[in-house]
Amino acid sequence: MTPFETPETQHVDPNCIFCKIVSGELPSRRIYEDDRAVAFLDIGAWHRGHSLVVPKRHIPDVVSGTSSLPEIAPAVDAVARLLMHRLAADGINLLSSAGQAAGQEVFHLHVHVVPRYADEPGLRSLVNPGGATDDELDSVYRQIQAGA
Ligand code: AMP
Ligand code: ZN
């Protein structure tokens, strides 16, 4: 039994969209999974390949409950490298917001992993509110999957 396999690890919030994505009740473009974490494409992508890494158990944010970041750190590491490699990105931003004051909208811990490209417009802006179309998301999803 690992330190994470306590009853708390099983905690699911029935009203949480990320818990539903983890369980498969809601669809997602899943790009990575290990025993403690799942990663999928963000439907409102700021930049091509923008992904979210979430713990499998429901934890509201990075400062709630027991130390939660270590259990998803290997997934963040793996996803950042996966996106750099498969999408030929030139850089990566990592971001995790805790609390409404920080702009958090979904209260299940997540780390944004955002590939960045040297030739992209608006290079300095991390949050690109333009989002992405379904076709754009499907296209980048296929590209990430292609090297699997
Ligand atoms: P935050 O503001 O840090 O709480 O970010 C929440 C993120 O979740 C936003 O970037 C949304 O685009 C993303 N998001 C919300 N619902 C979904 C979903 N069903 N699938 C993928 N990403 C989502
Ligand atoms: Zn949840």
Side-chain angles (χ1 to χ4, degrees):
M1 183 186 243
T2 73
F4 302 108
E5 289 172 334
T6 63
E8 188 186 5
T9 67
Q10 309 307 316
H11 183 58
V12 171
D13 179 337
N15 299 312
C16 171
I17 57 171
F18 287 177
C19 283
K20 289 179 182 172
I21 284 176
V22 168
S23 72
E25 185 182 340
L26 278 181
S28 70
R29 295 174 179 86
R30 192 173 291 212
I31 61 163
Y32 174 89
E33 178 170 5
D34 63 27
D35 56 337
R36 297 166 196 160
V38 166
F40 50 89
L41 294 185
D42 190 309
I43 49 167
W46 299 335
H47 296 279
R48 190 165 193 272
H50 178 178
S51 300
L52 301 173
V53 177
V54 309
K56 286 186 170 175
R57 63 179 175 129
H58 182 84
I59 307 165
D61 59 49
V62 72
V63 291
S64 293
T66 54
S67 174
S68 47
L69 202 51
E71 74 187 67
I72 61 169
V76 173
D77 181 284
V79 168
R81 291 166 196 272
L82 176 77
L83 296 174
M84 282 292 287
H85 182 66
R86 299 261 169 91
L87 302 180
D90 299 302
I92 292 277
N93 289 114
L94 301 178
L95 174 73
S96 189
S97 305
Q100 272 180 336
Q104 187 178 10
E105 292 179 347
V106 178
F107 292 87
H108 178 130
L109 169 61
H110 51 280
V111 175
H112 296 259
V113 182
V114 188
R116 306 300 299 272
Y117 307 92
D119 61 352
E120 70 193 4
L123 184 60
R124 291 179 186 282
S125 171
L126 169 60
V127 180
N128 170 5
T133 65
D134 268 348
D135 283 349
E136 288 167 343
L137 289 168
D138 286 338
S139 161
V140 71
Y141 184 53
R142 281 194 298 271
Q143 187 176 346
I144 295 167
Q145 302 285 64

